[in-house]
Amino acid sequence: MLIVGLTGGIASGKSTVSKRLHEHHSLTIVDADKIAKEIVEPGKPAYNKIVSHFQPNLPNLVDPETKALNRPVLGKYVFENKSELQVLNSITHPAVRRQMIWEIIKSWFSFDKMVILDVPLLFEAKLDEFCGVNVCVICDGELQLERLMARNPELSAEDCKNRIKNQMSNEVKISKSDVVIENNSTREKLYEEVDKIVKQLMPSTFWSYFEVLIPPVGLASALIVYLRNTLFKKGVSSTVPIAKLQKTA
Ligand SMILES: CC(C)(COP(=O)(O)OP(=O)(O)OC[C@H]1O[C@@H](n2cnc3c(N)ncnc32)[C@H](O)[C@@H]1O)[C@@H](O)C(=O)NCCC(=O)NCCS
Ligand SMILES: Nc1ncnc2c1ncn2[C@@H]1O[C@H](COP(=O)(O)OP(=O)(O)OP(=O)(O)O)[C@@H](O)[C@H]1O
């Protein structure tokens, strides 16, 4: 099974790509934003830690009736305070990572040929280490801000800029990615690019069954990917964006 890490800055188009991959190519999507919401539901360990750390500074952090976190309040606060964002990450990321690994295992036993990890913080949370291929969606800064403001009208322009500012730059993401998708044009153009990439990356059905039915083969192939990523790829700009791959092919 090929594990594909899908990342990109806020509002770059990851969910739009994921939707295409799920609806048109029937691929399983493991959505980190969705998991990150589930692990902070009232009563969960991460919820309790967040409330005890942040409530002293944010009296309206919790909805008095539902007890759910007030996400806009927490979001505004952490994206204005880098150290507090790091605290939130240190509480949420281990739980997100555990749940994602569990979802990958489930997908493996379902004989999936390819699974997509849709993770905004793929490199920061070190989830790229499990991925055979890392794909980054990028778009120009102005377009990113425009799309973010249109999608989240509840956020001010300053809030949007704070969110973008607190993320890894496109340059670094590109340097760590195997494939780069530029999303500066229409959705149709984006879908064309996505379809092309799926065609290039899709492993054979035979190989996927082989890996599950002969577990040592599957484990060896997962280990090779992990070792390659941790020993040889970390922080090194040695990967080739797909645009370059296509030119040299
Ligand atoms: C800060 C929170 C409360 C804001 O919630 P909100 O509902 O407004 O946003 P949502 O969760 O839908 O995220 C929207 C986008 O914000 C960006 N974002 C979210 N968390 C982070 C973060 N820790 N660092 C940088 N960008 C982030 C991503 O691009 C994400 O797609 C929430 O994002 C959160 O709990 N973040 C910490 C967990 C996390 O890192 N999630 C990302 C997946 S690993
Ligand atoms: N090519 C495109 N043309 C026009 N609008 C687009 C295009 N791609 C994405 N959008 C729109 O831009 C917004 C952001 O896209 P999307 O939600 O896919 O980004 P994202 O990377 O998943 O964001 P987040 O990190 O917040 O989850 C959405 O409203 C989406 O419909």
Side-chain angles (χ1 to χ4, degrees):
M1 180 177 78
L2 179 64
I3 304 175
V4 176
L6 176 65
T7 192
I10 188 165
S12 58
K14 293 176 301 300
S15 308
T16 310
V17 170
S18 281
K19 202 160 171 265
R20 177 71 177 178
L21 292 170
H22 183 63
E23 289 177 358
H24 193 74
H25 298 279
S26 306
L27 294 176
T28 301
I29 311 294
V30 182
D31 182 338
D33 277 341
K34 191 164 156 257
I35 293 174
K37 288 187 175 94
E38 289 163 1
I39 56 123
V40 299
E41 281 167 4
K44 300 265 173 81
Y47 170 90
N48 296 334
K49 286 185 199 162
I50 290 172
V51 173
S52 63
H53 178 84
F54 290 99
Q55 207 169 30
N57 286 326
L58 299 171
N60 52 350
L61 175 65
V62 168
D63 182 294
E65 275 177 24
T66 64
K67 303 289 174 214
L69 292 179
N70 187 335
R71 299 178 69 85
V73 164
L74 181 58
K76 185 166 174 51
Y77 179 68
V78 293
F79 289 115
E80 282 172 357
N81 296 276
K82 218 176 176 97
S83 61
E84 291 291 74
L85 180 61
Q86 279 162 2
V87 173
L88 180 65
N89 287 347
S90 71
I91 296 172
T92 52
H93 287 185
V96 172
R97 200 177 146 99
R98 269 196 302 278
Q99 186 59 31
M100 294 201 79
I101 292 171
W102 176 234
E103 298 288 338
I104 294 170
I105 294 170
K106 282 202 289 191
S107 200
W108 195 66
F109 280 113
S110 309
F111 295 96
D112 283 348
K113 289 201 274 187
M114 198 192 275
V115 62
I116 312 295
L117 308 190
D118 177 346
V119 197
L121 308 181
L122 184 74
F123 301 115
E124 297 89 328
K126 297 195 186 309
L127 279 156
D128 59 312
E129 291 173 353
F130 299 99
C131 300
V133 175
N134 290 303
V135 177
C136 177
V137 186
I138 56 163
C139 70
D140 291 346
E142 276 178 26
L143 196 54
Q144 180 184 23
L145 184 61
E146 202 179 287
R147 286 178 181 164
L148 177 56
M149 289 177 68
R151 190 194 61 186
N152 292 69
E154 77 284 3
L155 298 176
S156 68
E158 203 195 336
D159 289 340
C160 292
K161 285 180 190 159
N162 274 335
R163 289 196 176 210
I164 294 171
K165 206 172 66 187
N166 274 292
Q167 297 194 325
M168 187 184 266
S169 71
N170 276 347
E171 287 69 28
V172 178
K173 282 198 190 105
I174 290 170
S175 77
K176 289 172 176 282
S177 301
D178 305 289
V179 175
V180 178
I181 301 176
E182 275 189 36
N183 182 22
N184 290 322
S185 181
T186 60
R187 284 192 184 81
E188 289 65 35
K189 287 269 174 230
L190 178 66
Y191 296 156
E192 269 175 37
E193 186 73 2
V194 170
D195 296 349
K196 218 161 45 183
I197 291 167
V198 171
K199 217 168 153 192
Q200 292 189 0
L201 295 180
M202 186 62 79
S204 71
T205 308
F206 172 77
W207 177 250
S208 305
Y209 274 79
F210 194 58
E211 276 187 317
V212 180
L213 295 175
I214 307 178
V217 174
L219 288 174
S221 109
L223 191 65
I224 289 168
V225 167
Y226 182 74
L227 290 177
R228 188 202 63 180
N229 288 344
T230 50
L231 297 179
F232 303 115
K233 244 172 105 171
K234 204 171 251 175
V236 183
S237 143
S238 61
T239 51
V240 189
I242 200 153
K244 290 189 203 162
L245 280 174
Q246 282 165 347
K247 267 181 212 146
T248 53

